[in-house]
Amino acid sequence: MTRARRFIRSHLLSADLCPELVGRELAISRTRLYEMFEGLGGVQKYIRERRLVAAHAMLADASEFRKISDIAIAIGFDSSANFSRAFTQHFGYSPSTVRKLPTASDIHMNSSSKSIDDASFEALLRTLELR
């Protein structure tokens, strides 16, 4: 399982990443691979969740200037609409919401004035729970 997770993590942005590739790389049968990831909802679901978490990190990174649609394609989604739907379903908020979150420096600069509204604060808490 550790080798499988490591392989998936190192090939997360590869368009070729799929359960079959993981099985070939680890020299295990498809059945065995699916058994390993059964408790996590399956290998495909695991790959998708790891990609969504990676996309979340990219969107939250203030130095990342790519469009949401470009990030969606980069992490293996065929369209920004499918990415947005999957992201919102997984996290409970849209990709654009992550872009609107205050950065750590914004929070520090505004901490004396307490100017962060409740919605932004709740979104920030959800983001922190993911790390």
Side-chain angles (χ1 to χ4, degrees):
M1 187 63 151
T2 301
R3 287 180 48 222
R5 286 180 176 173
R6 189 176 306 133
F7 180 80
I8 290 168
R9 187 174 46 245
S10 66
H11 292 82
L12 205 53
L13 300 181
S14 170
D16 298 331
L17 181 61
C18 64
E20 292 75 22
L21 179 64
V22 177
R24 276 195 310 267
E25 179 64 27
L26 300 177
I28 60 175
S29 71
R30 175 185 167 121
T31 303
R32 179 66 185 124
L33 180 67
Y34 280 79
E35 286 172 352
M36 286 171 44
F37 283 89
E38 186 176 7
L40 299 172
V43 65
Q44 188 63 45
K45 181 180 180 200
Y46 180 80
I47 291 170
R48 183 180 182 106
E49 288 176 350
R50 295 297 94 204
R51 284 180 164 162
L52 289 170
V53 169
H56 194 288
M58 290 178 197
L59 292 166
D61 183 355
S63 66
E64 177 64 69
F65 293 107
R66 285 185 283 183
K67 292 191 261 180
I68 293 173
S69 59
D70 293 339
I71 290 173
I73 299 300
I75 63 162
F77 280 82
D78 59 352
S79 73
S80 59
N82 286 338
F83 167 70
S84 183
R85 191 170 19 263
F87 190 97
T88 302
Q89 182 180 22
H90 184 77
F91 293 109
Y93 48 91
S94 71
S96 59
T97 300
V98 178
R99 282 273 164 94
K100 294 174 188 171
L101 289 175
T103 63
S105 61
D106 293 339
I107 292 170
H108 179 66
M109 288 173 23
N110 292 331
S111 63
S112 60
S113 64
K114 306 287 186 204
S115 65
I116 301 172
D117 67 342
D118 292 341
S120 294
F121 186 70
E122 287 176 314
L124 177 61
L125 287 177
R126 283 193 299 263
T127 302
L128 294 174
E129 290 173 1
L130 300 172
R131 294 183 183 182

